[in-house]
Amino acid sequence: MIQKHRDDKVVFHVTTPGWFIAARKAQEEAKMKLFQDFKSRFSGINKALNDFTDFRKFRELKVDTGDGTTLINVSVDKDKAEPGTYELRITDLAQRSSVISNGFPDPNDKVLGVGYITLYSADGSKSQVFIDERSASLHGVAALLNRQDDAPVRASVVKDVTDPENPFKLLLSAKKDGADSAVEFPQFYFLDGSRDFYTEDTHDAQNALLYIDGFPVESDGNQIPDFLAGVSVELKGAR
């Protein structure tokens, strides 16, 4: 806007229309949005590049056990494992202490009478579980033992049809494999039962024994994490 005064001086008054300011603001906001979008995309690319700085991320490792698939499972961590070939021979699996009873025709028959079972822990301590007439069956004894939180064994009733007339047996097994977890076999005392109860067979605890490239290696279990760097194995059979 131009105004002419009496002294013939011309004065200019410059004003900025409101629509121009709004347009300029919208333009700047668009530029900022574009910049922020570009920055976020660049950050994502940078993160992805950082994730793949280790060449191991790109590789895949395959396990080939040849004819040993029935004997061993192998799992690998590709970030830690190194490619290689090894010769393995499994001669013994890890076992736990266990004992099995003679057979009975019905696992629910209360024919054992009354008495107690003495349990021995790996540290040499012992405890006793008392059996009354209500628990005088194979299933009753198993349930009573499994309710003992500090019992060193787990009880099960198994069916063995070797003797079809007396197929049910009480099996007591240590809770862990390996020689270090061996427990002394329980002792059973029963009175006034209508059938005798006795130990038919026992198995001693032992460590797994395998050979890698001809060298013997022992394990206290059949699950061996980090047997090699980044390589875990599960022993399933011996040969």
Side-chain angles (χ1 to χ4, degrees), residues 51-231:
D51 289 341
F52 288 102
T53 51
D54 189 348
F55 181 74
R56 294 171 184 264
K57 298 288 185 180
F58 292 95
R59 68 177 185 171
E60 293 295 334
L61 299 180
K62 178 183 178 182
V63 176
D64 182 4
T65 57
D67 63 351
T69 54
T70 61
L71 303 177
I72 190 172
N73 281 334
V74 181
S75 59
V76 297
D77 181 344
K78 69 177 183 179
D79 293 336
K80 298 179 181 179
E82 295 293 342
T85 301
Y86 302 91
E87 180 182 296
L88 292 179
R89 179 162 56 92
I90 305 167
T91 58
D92 293 296
L93 294 179
Q95 294 184 2
R96 60 190 62 186
S97 306
S98 58
V99 58
I100 196 167
S101 74
N102 59 307
F104 290 78
D106 188 333
N108 295 305
D109 282 348
K110 299 176 181 179
V111 296
L112 300 179
V114 296
Y116 60 92
I117 301 173
T118 302
L119 302 173
Y120 300 91
S121 300
D123 61 4
S125 62
K126 66 179 182 179
S127 60
Q128 291 182 333
V129 179
F130 291 91
I131 311 298
D132 58 22
E133 294 179 349
R134 295 173 298 176
S135 302
S137 66
L138 295 186
H139 276 150
V141 170
L144 193 59
L145 287 173
N146 290 334
R147 286 199 294 268
Q148 312 299 315
D149 293 335
D150 57 348
V153 296
R154 182 177 292 105
S156 305
V157 176
V158 298
K159 186 176 182 179
D160 176 12
V161 296
T162 303
D163 181 358
E165 295 183 356
N166 299 285
F168 296 99
K169 301 179 179 181
L170 181 67
L171 173 66
L172 303 182
S173 302
K175 293 182 177 179
K176 294 183 179 179
D177 292 325
D180 290 342
S181 300
V183 296
E184 188 176 342
F185 295 118
Q187 294 182 333
F188 305 90
Y189 303 90
F190 291 106
L191 297 172
D192 301 328
S194 58
R195 290 184 65 94
D196 291 334
F197 180 95
Y198 56 88
T199 297
E200 186 174 77
D201 198 5
T202 61
H203 283 166
D204 292 322
Q206 67 178 32
N207 288 338
L209 177 62
L210 63 156
Y211 290 78
I212 178 169
D213 290 344
F215 295 99
V217 176
E218 283 195 24
S219 170
D220 58 4
N222 296 314
Q223 301 279 351
I224 313 177
D226 289 329
F227 177 64
L228 299 168
V231 179

